Amino acid sequence: MTLKVNVYGLGGSSWEVDGQQGWSANDVLEKIAEMSGMRSRELELVKGASVLKADQLLSDCSEDEVHLNLLVRNPEIAMWLEQVTSSEFPQDIFRAAPEHVRGDKSIALATLGKHGHSLKSVSEELRQDREVVLCAVRNSGAALAHAFADLKADEEIVFTAVERHGAALEEASTELRSNRRVVLAAVSNRGRALRFASEELRADPEVVLAAGLKDPQALAFASQEVFGNKAIMLPLVQRHPSALRYVSQALKDDWDLLLHAVQNDVSAMKWIPEKLRSNPEFMCLAVERNGYALEYACDVLRNDLKVVLAAIAQQRQAFQYAGLEVQDLAWQMSDPVVGCAN
């Protein structure tokens, strides 16, 4: 389908281009360059009050006939823009550019779209520009560190940043560090970003669970009150046995929680109190769920035939952890169906 494009330049010049659906602004610029003899890199199209991006489709204009204005860029700016656009390392070119070039919004956007950290090299004025900062954090959340303070209080900018780099929460305003949506996005990306959340959200069950599932070491920054909440700690210890170090004293005596952790990962036994590793009833239940738990039993129980047989029944290789006193007898008597209840 043909799309009629009317382009008007300064001084009364105009061009009529027969475009196609799917054409971008850059396709039109190439045609204008052919017709006018100008360099396409020095041209840009404007619709209304908005400059069209080179890859913006004309179909976005939702019209069969499009009327655009043509602006001619400063040749120097056009040259720098072409360089950063075509380079694999635009940050090096941008950093070496003169100050007035680093203060040009089109060049800054082209650079930041590829290398968000270059926000630190843009002019002071542009670091206060919402569009520029949003472009930077979309590429690299850590770029938020170089934004002006008022933009660190902008929810969309901060949310975009922490989704990509959770630790950028440290740069957010105090208000946004208390924003549940923002903090959840941050800890879901990097668990230890929990340290930068407000005190209230460090006690929020959903926030702590998201942080802990991402990184169990994030629990070091959680409020103590959550460590006695079984609904939070059970999924955490099932995913990360080391989370057992944080459970409350009451939950350290909760056999159901402890056994769920052991069943998923025998290393959970390292965090189980010694009194339970010496408890015949508890250890029978533990080895029935994970035979390798026998390794962590006290010496007396590793020589307890009932416990050893239950472990071997669950996992034949657990035999290697049986005490010397019962190894031979246990191997002769072992049967896959034997358990502590038999």
Side-chain angles (χ1 to χ4, degrees):
M1 180 178 175
T2 301
L3 182 66
K4 188 175 181 180
V5 183
N6 296 292
V7 181
Y8 308 97
L10 297 175
S13 301
S14 64
W15 299 267
E16 186 177 300
V17 178
D18 291 328
Q20 300 291 328
Q21 288 292 334
W23 268 29
S24 66
N26 194 58
D27 292 317
V28 177
L29 289 175
E30 292 294 340
K31 280 292 184 182
I32 296 298
E34 287 180 21
M35 298 165 68
S36 67
M38 294 184 285
R39 295 178 179 179
S40 60
R41 75 183 188 188
E42 296 177 5
L43 308 176
E44 57 186 350
L45 295 171
V46 178
K47 180 170 177 60
S50 302
V51 176
L52 300 184
K53 295 180 180 178
D55 59 355
Q56 185 170 340
L57 298 180
L58 295 186
S59 55
D60 293 346
C61 298
S62 304
E63 300 170 10
D64 294 331
E65 184 172 343
V66 181
H67 298 272
L68 305 171
N69 292 310
L70 183 71
L71 294 181
V72 180
R73 291 192 183 99
N74 178 313
E76 182 192 14
I77 295 298
M79 180 195 70
W80 283 101
L81 180 60
E82 183 176 51
Q83 287 187 44
V84 299
T85 301
S86 60
S87 175
E88 292 184 18
F89 304 101
Q91 64 273 25
D92 296 336
I93 295 171
F94 188 75
R95 186 171 56 247
E99 186 175 352
H100 70 278
V101 172
R102 289 184 283 110
D104 182 86
K105 187 171 180 177
S106 61
I107 294 176
L109 289 172
T111 303
L112 297 172
K114 293 182 176 182
H115 191 265
H117 276 293
S118 290
L119 183 62
K120 64 184 177 182
S121 300
V122 305
S123 67
E124 184 173 308
E125 180 181 355
L126 288 183
R127 283 190 286 119
Q128 302 176 65
D129 185 294
R130 189 175 188 277
E131 182 183 3
V132 168
V133 173
L134 192 55
C135 177
V137 298
R138 280 175 177 154
N139 177 269
S140 172
L144 184 64
H146 308 298
F148 267 59
D150 58 338
L151 293 180
K152 292 180 180 182
D154 183 302
E155 183 173 343
E156 182 184 1
I157 288 176
V158 173
F159 182 83
T160 301
V162 300
E163 264 195 318
R164 289 154 178 77
H165 183 65
L169 184 63
E170 181 179 11
E171 301 294 336
S173 67
T174 301
E175 181 181 355
L176 289 181
R177 286 199 242 170
S178 300
N179 182 303
R180 199 164 181 274
R181 173 175 174 264
V182 168
V183 172
L184 265 175
V187 300
S188 296
N189 174 270
R190 184 165 298 188
R192 276 178 265 188
L194 184 64
R195 67 185 296 183
F196 306 120
S198 66
E199 184 176 351
E200 179 184 359
L201 290 181
R202 284 188 279 115
D204 182 285
E206 186 179 1
V207 170
V208 173
L209 181 58
L213 289 174
K214 188 69 177 178
D215 180 356
Q217 294 189 51
L219 295 176
F221 307 109
S223 172
Q224 293 289 321
E225 65 188 80
V226 303
F227 298 149
N229 187 328
K230 186 175 179 178
I232 298 174
M233 299 310 296
L234 180 58
L236 286 175
V237 300
Q238 287 180 296
R239 174 78 67 85
H240 303 293
S242 62
L244 281 173
R245 76 174 83 175
Y246 295 103
V247 300
S248 66
Q249 191 57 50
L251 288 184
K252 285 180 180 177
D253 293 324
D254 187 309
W255 287 20
D256 177 64
L257 179 138
L258 300 178
L259 292 170
H260 269 94
V262 172
Q263 184 171 341
N264 280 273
D265 189 332
V266 72
S267 67
M269 289 295 301
K270 293 187 293 185
W271 308 102
I272 288 177
E274 186 177 349
K275 67 178 182 179
L276 291 180
R277 287 187 277 126
S278 301
N279 183 307
E281 184 182 356
F282 178 83
M283 285 308 303
C284 268
L285 293 173
V287 298
E288 284 178 350
R289 286 160 175 75
N290 193 324
Y292 289 125
L294 182 63
E295 179 184 5
Y296 297 90
C298 67
D299 288 343
V300 171
L301 293 182
R302 287 197 295 116
N303 284 286
D304 185 300
L305 188 59
K306 183 179 179 181
V307 174
V308 171
L309 288 174
I312 296 173
Q314 200 284 324
Q315 174 53 254
R316 300 286 289 182
Q317 296 301 316
F319 173 79
Q320 63 187 302
Y321 301 118
L324 294 177
E325 297 175 19
V326 297
Q327 271 190 355
D328 290 342
L329 182 59
W331 186 253
Q332 295 171 22
M333 296 179 60
S334 62
D335 184 312
V337 300
V338 172
C340 285
N342 295 97

